[in-house]
Amino acid sequence: MLAPFEVLFETELPAYQLPEELGRLYGRLGFADRVVYSNFVSSLDGVVALGTSFSAGSVISGKFEGDRFLMALLRACADAVVIGASTMRATPGHLWTPAHVYPDLASSFSALREMLGRAPQPRLVVLTAAGDLDVNHPALQKGATILTTHQGAERMGGRQPATCDVVILGRGKRFKVKRAFDELHERGFQVILTEGGPHLVGQLIAGQVLDEAFLTLSPVVAGRGKARRLGMVEGAELLPLMPVWSRLLSVRRQSDFLFLRYALPAT
Ligand SMILES: NC(=O)c1ccc[n+]([C@@H]2O[C@H](COP(=O)([O-])OP(=O)(O)OC[C@H]3O[C@@H](n4cnc5c(N)ncnc54)[C@H](OP(=O)(O)O)[C@@H]3O)[C@@H](O)[C@H]2O)c1
């Protein structure tokens, strides 16, 4: 049975009225009315991805129950969960819902969504320039918003399930993530979680779109060999010219895992 998180540090933060069991386990949690936040699990040596065909998060966390719970809780708070197509390609059977990663408390997560006035499930949003998505992926079958380019939409050729809507955001190789997130806000998604990989998050941090980052530090050491293993940010070189100093908001602990929450610099 999951033990309550030990709160080691927490600043003054917004606090939702959480259903009893969620509050008992996690303590206080809440967000600003309009926010973009990310969630990663990292190895002790900074590895978050293990190659294209691995669902790296579960391997790096060892499916640690506290991490699964937090993943579900953060999903339960969100209007939408945004990922890049590589993350979808790396996790063929996944659903980006609270119950999929923590079924035991599915009813508490649903109760939280109802109390917050959210839809029954967060909307999945997938970014793709290439349009190379498996239309039989169960998450697409359940319904998603696909943000893509003209070429991406052409490549998909209308094969996406009827539960999906496709939004074209430009003609080039890819679109600006700021534009994508402005579009999502305009469509009514105000509280947005990104579980996108390092390439998406790199653009969100460089473009000052990301407000907060949740980071689970797993006690495992992943190591690096010849094949490239990604850290939390890829494709954006920040230091030394573009330093991004974040502010620690909270630290929780369960067993040998640390659960960190940071605020990114305001835009
Ligand atoms: N440890 C963790 O917590 C964690 C969390 C998330 C992901 N991961 C791992 O990270 C790996 C994937 O890493 P990643 O960085 O490649 O994933 P990603 O950022 O989620 O996906 C990148 C892809 O998203 C699309 N995309 C991103 N920005 C775009 C833009 N501005 N315009 C149009 N399309 C855009 C492109 O898709 P197209 O190629 O289709 O054009 C791009 O190749 C996986 O192994 C996954 O398991 C780990």
Side-chain angles (χ1 to χ4, degrees):
M1 195 175 138
L2 185 62
F5 286 70
E6 186 184 349
V7 181
L8 302 178
F9 169 77
E10 189 143 78
T11 52
E12 196 62 38
L13 291 165
Y16 295 150
Q17 189 74 46
L18 295 181
E20 197 185 336
E21 184 61 359
L22 303 184
R24 188 185 72 77
L25 290 170
Y26 188 76
R28 289 154 60 89
L29 180 67
F31 291 97
D33 292 343
R34 185 171 162 150
V35 65
V36 179
Y37 56 101
S38 62
N39 186 28
F40 272 100
V41 57
S42 166
S43 71
L44 205 54
D45 51 334
V47 170
V48 308
L50 301 170
T52 48
S53 53
F54 271 100
S55 172
S58 351
V59 180
I60 292 169
S61 74
K63 294 204 172 175
F64 183 68
E65 197 177 349
D67 185 59
R68 309 285 287 182
F69 170 84
L70 179 58
M71 218 192 310
L73 181 60
L74 295 178
R75 289 178 182 182
C77 295
D79 290 314
V81 179
V82 181
I83 59 172
S86 296
T87 296
M88 174 163 261
R89 289 190 285 262
T91 36
H94 199 74
L95 294 178
W96 279 265
T97 62
H100 188 78
V101 283
Y102 207 86
D104 288 359
L105 289 177
S107 57
S108 300
F109 296 126
S110 296
L112 172 60
R113 294 191 66 78
E114 206 175 321
M115 282 160 72
L116 295 173
R118 309 270 193 264
Q121 300 294 349
R123 182 71 171 169
L124 178 66
V125 178
V126 188
L127 272 64
T128 174
D132 178 17
L133 296 177
D134 173 7
V135 293
N136 295 314
H137 193 297
L140 291 184
Q141 291 291 331
K142 293 249 178 227
T145 296
I146 300 167
L147 304 182
T148 190
T149 57
H150 261 285
Q151 293 93 319
E154 257 170 41
R155 170 115 190 243
M156 293 191 66
R159 286 176 295 109
Q160 70 278 358
T163 45
C164 293
D165 50 333
V166 175
V167 183
I168 296 175
L169 289 177
R171 290 201 160 272
K173 277 204 175 133
R174 60 186 199 185
F175 42 81
K176 286 215 161 25
V177 288
K178 169 96 174 62
R179 182 162 171 218
F181 279 69
D182 284 348
E183 175 74 30
L184 293 176
H185 289 313
E186 271 167 35
R187 287 169 177 253
F189 302 116
Q190 304 303 338
V191 176
I192 301 181
L193 163 65
T194 175
E195 289 193 25
H199 288 94
L200 175 54
V201 167
Q203 295 168 72
L204 293 176
I205 293 179
Q208 295 183 304
V209 177
L210 193 70
D211 299 301
E212 292 189 15
F214 285 77
L215 180 66
T216 298
L217 196 56
S218 166
V220 76
V221 180
R224 286 179 170 88
K226 282 195 184 131
R228 201 159 152 245
R229 289 188 159 179
L230 310 180
M232 192 180 103
V233 168
E234 295 289 335
E237 196 171 279
L238 302 171
L239 278 179
L241 295 179
M242 263 184 67
V244 175
W245 290 101
S246 51
R247 190 164 55 86
L248 187 62
L249 297 179
S250 79
V251 182
R252 280 170 168 69
R253 175 179 164 249
Q254 268 210 0
S255 173
D256 297 319
F257 285 71
L258 283 180
F259 299 86
L260 310 169
R261 177 179 180 179
Y262 286 95
L264 277 296
T267 47

